[in-house]
Amino acid sequence: MLSQLRDLDLQLLRLFVTVVECGGFSAAQGELGLSQPSISIQMARLETRLGYRLCERGKGGFRLTPKGEHLLQATRRLFIAIEGFRNEAHGVADKLLGEVRLGLSEALDERVLAQLSEAVRRFRRRNEAVTLELVTTTPAELERLLLQDRLHLAIGYFAGTQSALEHVELFSEPQGLYCGIGHPAFAEKKTTRESLADADQVLHPYRFIAADQPLQTTRSSARCEQVDGSLAFVLSGAHLGYLPRHVAQPWIERGQLRELLPDELGFDVAFSLTRHRGRHPGDAEQAFASDLLEAFGQPAAD
């Protein structure tokens, strides 16, 4: 019985199919490059391996037994499957597979989103069958997900204190200090640092941003990790707060926000492409990281 399929069995099965397609042993000699006795020996060996007779040959000519007919159909299906496997195995040699999970800071500028879209467009032009997942959250959460290997890459602003993470700067985002209509500073003709020193300022828990903020007030009864929440606090007219300038601009145009001392109190936040230093990146992750760097005008890593 044929309990395991070996290379020799495949050779015998190919000989069997050729004999059938040629119409007999004699006719198959030229196709196989074998003598009729050699073909007969090989067929007998296959029948022994299988445990049943495949064909009748004699005065009545060559014909398959019912079991031989069944084996012929099964063998043809097997060879089609083998060919399909060969093509598929060869096709993935240069193909990117798997998934890449990218984390993003919230409320990104439209220009940044356009560059991100360009990176995705570049990646989709590759020979790939990769699932891309985008996760938008706060920088602190992005750090946590990277350290837990739940993200492959992240674009955000980070403290740089985690030695397990490596960063490549992509762009910077201008930040400004704002107040909403109804706040005393909104109508001031001349605002000074001294006049803002006791103002109630929205507290951001990101120490790496707060340390860079030019204005550090002594009072804060509002705390928020998200840009939208900070915007809501500032729009209330009860708090000062730092916001990305692209987020504040539409509200300035509506007359709802005012930037305070932009030249003196504004600052830039550096955004980087970040990954876990200890992980070995897969081919798909490396390719997508390269496309991100190129889309943002940064040299791809070697």
Side-chain angles (χ1 to χ4, degrees), residues 102-123:
L102 172 67
L104 299 173
S105 286
E106 55 176 347
L108 293 173
D109 192 350
E110 291 180 359
R111 290 170 295 181
V112 174
L113 294 176
Q115 289 168 299
L116 174 61
S117 299
E118 174 60 23
V120 173
R121 188 177 299 112
R122 287 171 181 261
F123 185 77

Side-chain angles (χ1 to χ4, degrees), residues 2-294:
L2 190 62
S3 58
Q4 292 184 339
L5 197 60
R6 303 169 183 169
D7 288 344
L8 176 61
D9 298 322
L10 292 175
Q11 294 175 12
L12 294 175
L13 288 170
R14 291 189 188 281
L15 178 140
F16 166 63
V17 172
T18 301
V19 168
V20 173
E21 291 178 346
C22 290
F25 290 15
S26 298
Q29 291 180 83
E31 183 72 22
L32 294 170
L34 298 172
S35 66
Q36 184 172 338
S38 294
I39 295 173
S40 181
I41 292 171
Q42 300 290 353
M43 285 290 290
R45 183 179 297 174
L46 178 60
E47 289 177 332
T48 299
R49 287 279 291 149
L50 292 167
Y52 53 83
R53 194 168 182 80
L54 295 174
C55 58
E56 304 291 346
R57 54 260 193 196
K59 294 181 180 180
F62 175 86
R63 71 177 186 278
L64 291 176
T65 65
K67 289 184 178 180
E69 288 281 2
H70 182 81
L71 180 69
L72 177 63
Q73 300 306 317
T75 302
R76 283 174 171 164
R77 290 194 297 271
L78 171 63
F79 289 156
I80 290 172
I82 290 174
E83 184 64 23
F85 170 80
R86 182 184 295 112
N87 291 337
E88 188 170 343
H90 176 72
V92 300
D94 299 317
K95 191 169 190 175
L96 300 172
L97 301 173
E99 64 176 357
V100 178
R101 297 184 297 279
L102 172 67
L104 299 173
S105 286
E106 55 176 347
L108 293 173
D109 192 350
E110 291 180 359
R111 290 170 295 181
V112 174
L113 294 176
Q115 289 168 299
L116 174 61
S117 299
E118 174 60 23
V120 173
R121 188 177 299 112
R122 287 171 181 261
F123 185 77
R124 290 308 189 194
R125 290 174 184 155
R126 295 178 180 268
N127 181 20
E128 57 82 24
V130 176
T131 298
L132 295 178
E133 181 179 357
L134 300 181
V135 177
T136 302
T137 186
T138 63
E141 180 67 5
L142 290 178
E143 274 194 347
R144 187 176 70 84
L145 294 175
L146 283 168
L147 292 171
Q148 293 177 347
D149 289 335
R150 293 168 61 187
L151 288 177
H152 297 109
L153 301 163
I155 295 176
Y157 48 97
F158 301 99
T161 57
Q162 288 286 354
S163 61
L165 301 180
E166 60 180 12
H167 311 273
V168 178
E169 186 172 338
L170 293 182
F171 61 92
S172 61
E173 183 181 79
Q175 307 279 315
L177 182 69
Y178 297 90
C179 67
I181 191 169
H183 191 279
F186 193 89
E188 283 181 349
K189 293 183 179 180
K190 186 176 181 180
T191 303
T192 64
R193 278 176 175 264
E194 290 71 24
S195 67
L196 300 176
D198 294 329
D200 194 331
Q201 184 178 353
V202 180
L203 174 65
H204 297 279
Y206 313 130
R207 61 187 182 280
F208 39 97
I209 293 182
D212 291 334
Q213 291 178 356
L215 181 71
Q216 305 281 343
T217 64
T218 58
R219 189 159 58 96
S220 179
S221 64
R223 175 189 176 99
C224 188
E225 296 187 359
Q226 288 82 23
V227 172
D228 285 347
S230 297
L231 174 61
F233 277 131
V234 177
L235 285 171
S236 73
H239 306 276
L240 301 181
Y242 275 97
L243 297 168
R245 282 182 172 147
H246 71 270
V247 171
Q249 187 58 37
W251 296 95
I252 290 176
E253 294 172 0
R254 297 171 195 161
Q256 299 295 304
L257 287 184
R258 176 191 172 192
E259 184 172 0
L260 303 172
L261 301 175
D263 295 334
E264 187 177 344
L265 299 181
F267 72 106
D268 289 340
V269 172
F271 280 67
S272 64
L273 178 62
T274 301
R275 64 175 12 141
H276 196 302
R277 195 185 302 276
R279 287 184 60 258
H280 179 70
D283 292 341
E285 178 185 337
Q286 287 181 307
F288 191 44
S290 176
D291 290 335
L292 283 166
L293 291 171
E294 289 188 21

